[in-house]
Amino acid sequence: MGRGKIEIKRIENANNRVVTFSKRRNGLVKKAKEITVLCDAKVALIIFASNGKMTDYCCPSMDFGAMLDQYQKLSGKKLWDAKHENLSNEIDRIKKENDSLQLELRHLKGEDIQSLNLKNLMAVEHAIEHGLDKVREHQMEFLMTKRRNEKMMVEENRQLNFQLQQQEMAIASNARGMMMRDHDAQFGFRVQPIQPNLQEKIMSLVID
């Protein structure tokens, strides 16, 4: 006995609806993969469940972006507004510019230069020489700055040593003075100033 025809309408029971969705979703994805392999077709599939969860499939030979661009061209329907188109064009421009810079960098490193003609090779050589001159110039500036800094450090070190020596001498002098005062105080030595009359007598004796 064959299966009865199922009426296509919304399944009211939530559990049955989830089970049916899961089975049919898997069946759709399976059929999409089969038709991609069997018929060499370009297939893209997007499914959104009632809870917002997404299931998608795209054939390996084309990504979703390219698939949507082709759909837009063939159907005549605008999927993107002018703002998004301008953004897409800007992204393409930046990607091309980046690819060009990457290629130029490989050329400067001596890679992928087999396809360059003489004019392009001379341009690469000029760019390398110009870059080398800049590197040497920066290297000389770095060395000169380093030498100036070294001289400044030597001079600062000399000044610090001189100040340290002065401080050590002052400390030593103060220490000797204190020791002498302590010695005089201990043994009762005291330097008496010369009396004026005595000084005159000494001077007269020297003259005589």
Side-chain angles (χ1 to χ4, degrees):
M1 184 175 179
R3 296 174 58 186
K5 185 176 181 180
I6 300 176
E7 183 181 2
I8 303 299
K9 66 177 183 178
R10 185 177 184 273
I11 301 174
E12 297 299 332
N13 185 280
N15 292 331
N16 293 341
R17 189 163 59 245
V18 171
V19 173
T20 302
F21 172 80
S22 179
K23 290 181 179 179
R24 299 213 173 195
R25 177 198 59 194
N26 295 338
L28 281 174
V29 174
K30 181 179 178 182
K31 292 296 183 184
K33 293 180 179 180
E34 289 177 353
I35 194 173
T36 298
V37 176
L38 295 174
C39 305
D40 195 23
K42 294 180 175 61
V43 181
L45 176 66
I46 303 177
I47 304 173
F48 293 98
S50 58
N51 60 2
K53 186 177 180 180
M54 183 186 74
T55 301
D56 64 303
Y57 166 77
C58 187
C59 60
S61 61
M62 184 178 290
D63 59 27
F64 261 111
M67 189 78 73
L68 293 174
D69 288 339
Q70 186 172 356
Y71 170 80
Q72 182 174 243
K73 292 177 183 178
L74 297 177
S75 66
K77 297 179 180 180
K78 286 287 185 179
L79 298 178
W80 326 113
D81 56 20
K83 181 179 179 180
H84 287 89
E85 287 185 355
N86 293 336
L87 180 60
S88 178
N89 293 335
E90 181 66 14
I91 292 174
D92 291 339
R93 185 190 66 80
I94 293 175
K95 288 176 65 177
K96 291 179 181 179
E97 183 176 347
N98 181 66
D99 293 340
S100 177
L101 291 175
Q102 291 292 332
L103 180 60
E104 183 177 352
L105 180 61
R106 289 197 297 272
H107 290 165
L108 292 175
K109 293 167 62 178
E111 302 173 357
D112 301 336
I113 60 175
Q114 291 78 8
S115 60
L116 298 179
N117 55 30
L118 180 60
K119 182 178 179 181
N120 292 334
L121 289 172
M122 293 178 64
V124 171
E125 182 182 12
H126 176 73
I128 294 175
E129 290 178 349
H130 180 70
L132 185 59
D133 291 339
K134 288 293 184 181
V135 170
R136 289 171 176 168
E137 181 181 349
H138 181 68
Q139 184 180 21
M140 289 300 299
E141 292 178 357
F142 177 80
L143 292 175
M144 291 177 64
T145 302
K146 182 180 179 182
R147 289 170 183 171
R148 285 197 299 268
N149 292 338
E150 289 176 349
K151 289 181 179 179
M152 291 175 60
M153 291 178 64
V154 170
E155 179 62 21
E156 290 179 358
N157 186 53
R158 189 185 68 81
Q159 292 289 340
L160 290 173
N161 287 332
F162 177 77
Q163 294 176 6
L164 181 60
Q165 290 176 1
Q166 293 295 319
Q167 292 178 358
E168 290 177 347
M169 291 173 63
I171 292 173
S173 177
N174 292 335
R176 286 195 299 271
M178 293 177 63
M179 292 176 62
M180 291 178 65
R181 287 194 295 272
D182 292 342
H183 183 271
D184 293 344
Q186 182 179 0
F187 293 97
F189 295 152
R190 184 176 180 182
V191 178
Q192 298 291 339
I194 300 176
Q195 298 296 327
N197 296 334
L198 180 61
Q199 184 177 6
E200 291 177 358
K201 291 180 180 181
I202 294 174
M203 291 297 295
S204 62
L205 290 174
V206 171
I207 294 173
D208 293 341

